[in-house]
Amino acid sequence: MKQDRLLAVSKLDIEDIQAFMKTRKSAVIPQSLQTYILQLDTVARIMHTNRLSVKAAILQIRREWPDLTIAQARGIYYDGLEYFYHDDQASAAMWDKVYADYFDDLSRLAIASGKEATAMRSAELAHKLRTTVREAQEYQWKAPVYLININVKPEDLGYETQKLADIARRAEDRKFAEMIGSLETTEAEKERLLADARIKTVEYVTVDKDDESL
């Protein structure tokens, strides 16, 4: 239900909301959302006075809206955080943004008090929190998913199967062919040696002894 209301409010025209906040009347905003918008406005106002205490904020909400239970007031508070910070309910990213605001306030107070070192440290912490949130939003990498099925053969995927024994034999035949090709003998003798070694798939390699690249 909360998400439905937040979504409905987010789709309203901002000018219609501003007009409603001034007059407390609206012909375009549904009656079911008008009270909810006023409750969100309460959260916006008290966020700057009770920002470090959720309990104090909830108590203030109930003072202005006595019909709300503690659970309902807490829900309105978290709704406000989600609405104003555009994030998931009480998510880590949302709290990073909230505390970044705290450090900004502290930095301004420190500057006014002439405490430049404290102001710089507070500004650095605010920047770090906001950078962490931004990096988390941009980091969308996900581990690849591998599907393993023992019934799928390499041939089914277009691969040609090769036995390890065949691969080893071909490598061995190539070595023999290179050795035969390097012998100082006739071509006919080399062909005979290849036949004796039963090397059929690999031709012997003639090695040029004058080749400087060898």
Side-chain angles (χ1 to χ4, degrees):
M1 182 62 180
K2 171 185 73 63
Q3 293 295 334
D4 293 340
R5 291 195 298 179
L6 282 179
L7 181 61
V9 172
S10 66
K11 291 182 178 180
L12 294 175
D13 191 294
I14 187 63
E15 294 182 355
D16 292 335
I17 295 178
Q18 292 174 341
F20 168 69
M21 295 303 299
K22 291 179 180 179
T23 63
R24 296 296 192 271
K25 297 179 180 179
S26 176
V28 294
I29 297 177
Q31 186 65 39
S32 60
L33 291 180
Q34 292 183 13
T35 300
Y36 183 65
I37 291 173
L38 294 176
Q39 291 170 342
L40 291 178
D41 180 64
T42 299
V43 175
R45 286 187 286 103
I46 66 176
M47 279 173 64
H48 297 283
T49 55
N50 295 311
R51 296 170 70 180
L52 292 178
S53 173
V54 176
K55 181 179 179 181
I58 292 174
L59 290 175
Q60 182 61 33
I61 293 173
R62 294 195 70 202
R63 290 191 184 98
E64 297 192 27
W65 303 92
D67 292 338
L68 293 176
T69 64
I70 293 178
Q72 290 171 335
R74 182 183 293 108
I76 292 295
Y77 177 73
Y78 285 132
D79 284 4
L81 291 180
E82 181 175 353
Y83 178 75
F84 295 115
Y85 284 96
H86 304 285
D87 214 318
D88 293 337
Q89 174 179 325
S91 66
M94 180 272 293
W95 284 117
D96 282 344
K97 293 177 182 179
V98 171
Y99 276 87
D101 289 345
Y102 297 163
F103 283 121
D104 282 338
D105 292 343
L106 181 59
S107 179
R108 286 190 288 269
L109 290 173
I111 292 174
S113 302
K115 299 179 179 180
E116 289 81 5
T118 301
M120 177 61 72
R121 179 58 178 161
S122 299
E124 290 175 348
L125 290 172
H127 176 264
K128 181 179 180 180
L129 288 171
R130 290 195 173 94
T131 301
T132 300
V133 172
R134 190 60 184 166
E135 289 177 346
Q137 292 173 344
E138 294 177 351
Y139 188 67
Q140 300 295 331
W141 179 85
K142 293 182 179 180
V145 177
Y146 295 97
L147 300 178
I148 301 175
N149 189 333
I150 60 175
N151 296 319
V152 177
K153 299 178 180 180
E155 294 90 337
D156 299 333
L157 301 177
Y159 296 102
E160 181 181 352
T161 58
Q162 300 184 35
K163 296 181 180 180
L164 291 178
D166 293 338
I167 296 174
R169 177 58 188 271
R170 283 196 295 271
E172 185 178 355
D173 286 351
R174 180 169 292 279
K175 289 294 183 182
F176 275 120
E178 290 176 357
M179 291 174 60
I180 293 172
S182 65
L183 294 176
E184 296 180 0
T185 186
T186 64
E187 297 297 318
E189 180 64 15
K190 291 178 181 180
E191 292 288 351
R192 186 188 67 79
L193 292 173
L194 281 173
D196 290 344
R198 297 181 180 179
I199 299 176
K200 299 179 180 179
T201 58
V202 179
E203 297 180 355
Y204 68 84
V205 179
T206 302
V207 178
D208 188 353
K209 295 183 178 179
D210 296 330
D211 191 349
E212 297 179 354
S213 65
L214 297 176

